[in-house]
Amino acid sequence: MYLLEWKSAPDKLPLIVTGARQVGKTESILKFAKENYESLAYVNFAENPLFSRIVGDGYSPDKIVRNMSLVNPAFNFVPGKTLIFFDEIQACPEITSSLKFFKLDGRYDVICSGSLLGVQLSRIESISVGYQTIRKMTSLDFEEFLWACGHGEETAEDMRQHVKAMSPFSENELDAYESLFFDYMVVGGMPAVISSYLARRNFQGIPELQNGLIGGYRSDVRKYAGGLDQERIIGVMDSIAPELGKENKKFVFSHVRKGGRFADYFGCIEWLRDAGLVTPSRLLNFPEIPLRGNTVPNAFKVYFFDTGLLLSLLDPESGEDFRVRKNFGVYKGAVFENSVAECLSKSGLDLYYYKRPDSTLELDFVLRTKDGIVPVEVKSKDGNAYSLREAIANPKYGDISEGIKITRKNISYCGKVLTLPHFCAFFIKDWLRER
């Protein structure tokens, strides 16, 4: 949908698509090109290093097009009907210097893509400032997972309308949607894993595929991160699941390595965030608006970008306990909290949380509305949301008037608390727009 909107924009800029490896960037763009252009000139800098020479004579479109045709004479450049797709540009980031000139020339549409671009983004942005559009792509969200499983748009729309109206589901609907969301948590949103799941309609081979993807990310760290940071970054990635499983889910660097300090490891969190692999949630000084800028500098939780892959970061026994036995209390509900964080961030919401200094009140997520904030508590099964109700009732939290509890219950609204089943987390943004 976004690519179609980009193509039809009257004054579109060259597009750069970022995101973690294997989220489907290349396949999506190639499919879009086949359906919407007469001609495609596809350049993969990692697959064919000869293409890195196409900028050797400068950055004008004529020179680059000429050099591209020298490497691949089959390219057909038709003005106004050709998409030039530069893929794996992390292997040739200087190609982005040409984007300004392609925009000014105007004969060809240009899309760039690659993995780990986030770690080079400031450099890329400065090269062709004002002459590019940058879009981040994630693994499939829950709505897209439903489409992949053969459900029409009406399924997600039904969930969305129930949340907006705060009306409960029927028992059959609740059971069916909970089952679909459990499958989504186990499988995750990575296209290769989903394809395997759809081919078999079971979880056979899923852990092995996920472990392979995690291994690929570790290889990327060793390839693209420098010096001692390689081991620190991998240590942080491997610590995400255990840290979420602790009673206090704040990420503690000394748990990664004895004596570890914020100054030693925060750059590792930033590296993983920029690579698209993690989503930090910032600790608020106080639950009040504005949220941005109202945070504690060195305190945050860290969530993995794909809950299915998070299961691969658990110890094997715990991962199996969740997948096979449906032990929803695994790691004190870390899997469910990560899944809610994933749903919220993929729907475009920034993540914040609050923990009172005396540790007697903790709000898992704090979301912004037009005039206030809405705290969210996540329960793996069910339970009393003491912190949520106290925050609503306490007059010193003047920006809070209602809250959300996410648990294994049907939709209800009672005592200014909206209760939602886990699978509705992706549709919270629509509910917030009405507040």
Side-chain angles (χ1 to χ4, degrees):
M1 180 67 73
Y2 173 78
L3 291 174
L4 288 173
E5 293 173 357
W6 169 80
K7 185 180 187 300
S8 61
D11 192 32
K12 63 177 171 291
L13 301 172
L15 176 65
I16 297 177
V17 180
T18 72
R21 186 179 299 281
Q22 300 295 322
V23 295
K25 300 184 296 297
T26 298
E27 288 185 15
S28 297
I29 297 168
L30 288 177
K31 182 176 185 293
F32 162 74
K34 183 182 292 186
E35 295 174 352
N36 292 278
Y37 289 88
E38 179 180 307
S39 180
L40 168 68
Y42 174 60
V43 171
N44 188 312
F45 290 108
E47 196 173 86
N48 188 345
L50 287 176
F51 278 118
S52 63
R53 301 177 183 178
I54 63 177
V55 295
D57 298 326
Y59 301 106
S60 76
D62 284 333
K63 290 179 179 177
I64 288 177
V65 165
R66 176 183 179 277
N67 289 337
M68 287 171 63
S69 64
L70 287 175
V71 180
N72 187 347
F75 284 154
N76 184 25
F77 295 93
V78 183
K81 298 180 179 180
T82 298
L83 175 68
I84 298 176
F85 177 17
F86 296 122
D87 199 9
E88 302 290 359
I89 67 168
Q90 73 276 3
C92 184
E94 56 266 33
I95 191 63
T96 56
S97 296
S98 69
L99 299 184
K100 173 181 178 179
F101 304 103
F102 273 107
K103 167 59 183 172
L104 295 174
D105 179 87
R107 285 176 290 168
Y108 311 109
D109 289 351
V110 179
I111 296 179
C112 298
S113 181
S115 303
L116 298 173
L117 292 186
V119 300
Q120 307 178 48
L121 205 53
S122 59
R123 176 187 172 193
I124 289 173
E125 288 175 322
S126 65
I127 288 175
S128 293
V129 60
Y131 290 93
Q132 57 190 295
T133 298
I134 298 175
R135 183 82 172 190
K136 181 181 177 181
M137 184 172 177
T138 68
S139 59
L140 273 67
D141 61 37
F142 181 49
E143 186 171 12
E144 292 165 333
F145 176 79
L146 292 173
W147 298 340
C149 291
H151 294 270
E153 294 188 9
E154 65 276 3
T155 301
E157 186 58 28
D158 178 64
M159 296 181 192
R160 182 177 284 108
Q161 292 305 320
H162 273 278
V163 173
K164 291 176 71 173
M166 298 185 289
S167 60
F169 296 96
S170 70
E171 286 190 19
N172 287 339
E173 288 174 327
L174 188 65
D175 290 343
Y177 293 160
E178 282 185 339
S179 178
L180 283 166
F181 191 69
F182 175 81
D183 288 359
Y184 175 63
M185 285 194 295
V186 171
V187 174
M190 301 300 285
V193 184
I194 291 176
S195 295
S196 175
Y197 164 76
L198 294 177
R200 297 184 174 94
R201 288 293 174 175
N202 61 43
F203 302 127
Q204 179 185 348
I206 296 299
E208 290 77 14
L209 279 172
Q210 292 168 331
N211 287 333
L213 289 168
I214 293 293
Y217 294 139
R218 290 195 178 99
S219 296
D220 284 343
V221 172
R222 298 190 190 282
K223 184 175 181 179
Y224 293 104
L228 294 174
D229 279 350
Q230 295 178 5
E231 295 306 320
R232 288 175 178 169
I233 291 169
I234 291 173
V236 167
M237 188 168 72
D238 290 342
S239 297
I240 292 172
E243 289 299 289
L244 286 176
K246 298 183 185 306
E247 198 68 45
N248 177 5
K249 295 179 172 62
K250 173 187 171 184
F251 199 92
V252 179
F253 296 106
S254 60
H255 293 165
V256 180
R257 184 176 182 180
K258 189 174 181 179
R261 301 172 302 166
F262 175 81
D264 297 328
Y265 280 93
F266 182 67
C268 302
I269 299 287
E270 291 186 315
W271 196 97
L272 289 167
R273 179 202 63 198
D274 291 343
L277 299 180
V278 305
T279 305
S281 178
R282 306 285 179 172
L283 173 64
L284 294 170
N285 283 297
F286 193 79
E288 63 183 357
I289 54 177
L291 300 181
R292 189 168 297 178
N294 174 27
T295 57
V296 180
N298 59 350
F300 43 83
K301 300 178 187 179
V302 181
Y303 299 100
F304 210 66
F305 81 106
D306 185 277
T307 302
L309 293 183
L310 178 78
L311 288 173
S312 295
L313 295 173
L314 298 175
D315 63 85
E317 183 180 356
S318 295
E320 181 180 340
D321 207 23
F322 186 87
R323 281 188 293 264
V324 179
R325 300 177 185 85
K326 295 189 177 182
N327 179 358
F328 298 132
V330 166
Y331 273 81
K332 294 184 171 62
V335 178
F336 279 100
E337 187 168 329
N338 196 93
S339 72
V340 171
E342 180 185 353
C343 287
L344 295 175
S345 62
K346 283 182 175 179
S347 62
L349 296 170
D350 295 327
L351 301 186
Y352 302 94
Y353 75 103
Y354 176 69
K355 185 178 181 67
R356 197 158 59 192
D358 63 10
S359 298
T360 59
L361 183 145
E362 182 170 3
L363 307 172
D364 295 327
F365 300 99
V366 179
L367 306 177
R368 178 71 196 267
T369 65
K370 183 176 64 175
D371 299 317
I373 58 177
V374 174
V376 178
E377 278 200 59
V378 181
K379 305 291 184 182
S380 59
K381 298 178 183 178
D382 193 16
N384 291 314
Y386 295 113
S387 291
L388 194 62
R389 296 188 184 281
E390 180 183 344
I392 294 169
N394 196 324
K396 75 176 183 178
Y397 303 128
D399 290 333
I400 298 175
S401 58
E402 55 189 343
I404 299 173
K405 182 174 78 168
I406 300 178
T407 185
R408 288 178 60 79
K409 291 286 186 180
N410 210 333
I411 294 178
S412 64
Y413 188 82
C414 179
K416 299 183 179 179
V417 174
L418 172 64
T419 297
L420 294 176
H422 297 101
F423 62 83
C424 287
F426 187 73
F427 307 101
I428 287 176
K429 185 175 182 180
D430 300 288
W431 183 82
L432 291 174
R433 290 196 187 102
E434 308 290 326
R435 313 324 284 169

